[in-house]
Amino acid sequence: PGLRDRHWAAMSDIIGIVGWELKKDDHTSLQRLIDKGVHEHTGKLAETSDFASREWSFEKTLDKMLADWEDVDFKLKPWKETKTFILEGGPVDEAQALLDDHIVKTQAMRASPFAKPFAERITPWETKLLRLQDIMDQWLKCQSKWLYLEPIFGSDEIMKQIPTEGAAFKSMDNTWRRIMVEVKERPEIIGASDIYNLLEDLTACNEELDVVEKGLNDFLDTKKLAFPRFFFLSNDEL
């Protein structure tokens, strides 16, 4: 089943009869092949057949990887009173395990001598998987920090005390909410790599959160200096 037109053409070249080509049809019989002297080229024909089998295995592996992602979706849950969502851990863990496995397989396939006929499939697939991996890394980092900072910057008093960091958090929070609405409408995990600017938006959110977190820590340090007993409390407790 793995013999494609390119393999039939290669075998015809090996046999080397001008004006005749080897092909799968209702007229090709064993006797006809013997009459054409095909048996004199069995070694090279076997090599071509072996290549075809290995390439067919590649093709089936690629198809299976695509099929593996069917019905692998993000599951979102509302987060407290924020009117937005966060990612549930179970589907994310499943997707990350599948993603790691597929990246290893795809990179091994790309390095194989049998990959050439499928380069137009393998290269974009690897790019898609690697982008999804970066998205997942940035997303989980962003969610973790957002969960920590959201209740803090939900306080009007904090927003007044550190308005610059408050504005940065508000900007990031708007992006987070937009992303979660979009993902709720398109929950397929493999499709996340195709969402326009998702990786770039999440990366920008994390950069803003780093600034916000640093500003918050600096603010807490000033309170500790004013009230030395606060030094006995962690920033989380404070």
Side-chain angles (χ1 to χ4, degrees), residues 6-23:
R6 63 181 178 275
H7 302 121
W8 291 107
M11 290 190 290
S12 296
D13 291 341
I14 289 170
I15 297 167
I17 299 177
V18 177
W20 181 82
E21 62 178 9
L22 180 64
K23 59 184 177 180

Side-chain angles (χ1 to χ4, degrees), residues 5-205:
D5 289 344
R6 63 181 178 275
H7 302 121
W8 291 107
M11 290 190 290
S12 296
D13 291 341
I14 289 170
I15 297 167
I17 299 177
V18 177
W20 181 82
E21 62 178 9
L22 180 64
K23 59 184 177 180
K24 183 180 180 181
D25 57 31
D26 295 335
H27 306 292
T28 301
S29 65
L30 178 60
Q31 186 58 54
R32 190 178 182 193
L33 294 177
I34 292 173
D35 292 343
K36 295 292 185 180
V38 170
H39 58 284
E40 298 175 5
H41 308 282
T42 53
K44 290 184 178 180
L45 291 175
E47 288 181 10
T48 302
S49 177
D50 181 59
F51 261 80
S53 295
R54 292 174 184 270
E55 289 172 4
W56 183 70
S57 176
F58 261 58
E59 194 170 7
K60 299 301 287 183
T61 300
L62 280 169
D63 292 342
K64 184 179 183 305
M65 282 195 285
L66 288 171
D68 285 345
W69 286 98
E70 293 178 6
D71 301 322
V72 181
D73 295 345
F74 289 115
K75 286 186 172 56
L76 308 183
K77 63 179 179 181
W79 185 245
K80 297 184 177 180
E81 304 301 321
T82 62
K83 298 180 181 180
T84 186
F85 307 90
I86 62 171
L87 300 175
E88 288 190 13
V92 170
D93 292 341
E94 178 188 351
Q96 286 188 309
L98 187 61
L99 184 59
D100 290 343
D101 179 56
H102 282 190
I103 288 174
V104 170
K105 284 181 179 176
T106 303
Q107 291 179 336
M109 290 172 69
R110 183 170 52 81
S112 169
F114 304 104
K116 188 175 180 181
F118 308 103
E120 291 183 358
R121 290 185 65 187
I122 292 174
T123 301
W125 179 243
E126 182 186 19
T127 300
K128 188 183 190 75
L129 294 176
L130 292 175
R131 181 173 176 84
L132 180 59
Q133 185 179 56
D134 289 341
I135 286 171
M136 298 297 288
D137 289 345
Q138 292 293 326
W139 208 332
L140 293 176
K141 178 183 176 183
C142 186
Q143 176 163 295
S144 176
K145 290 192 174 186
W146 182 84
L147 288 171
Y148 167 58
L149 292 169
E150 191 281 329
I152 296 173
F153 285 91
S155 163
D156 291 338
E157 183 62 30
I158 290 291
M159 296 291 280
K160 292 176 183 176
Q161 292 282 342
I162 43 177
T164 300
E165 288 76 10
F169 181 81
K170 186 67 176 175
S171 172
M172 170 271 154
D173 184 68
N174 288 337
T175 302
W176 174 267
R177 291 170 185 271
R178 173 178 56 78
I179 288 172
M180 299 312 284
V181 168
E182 189 165 1
V183 171
K184 192 172 187 294
E185 295 172 354
R186 299 174 55 184
E188 303 86 2
I189 291 181
I190 192 64
S193 58
D194 299 323
I195 295 178
Y196 178 73
N197 256 15
L198 178 57
L199 175 59
E200 292 73 18
D201 284 343
L202 288 169
T203 301
C205 282

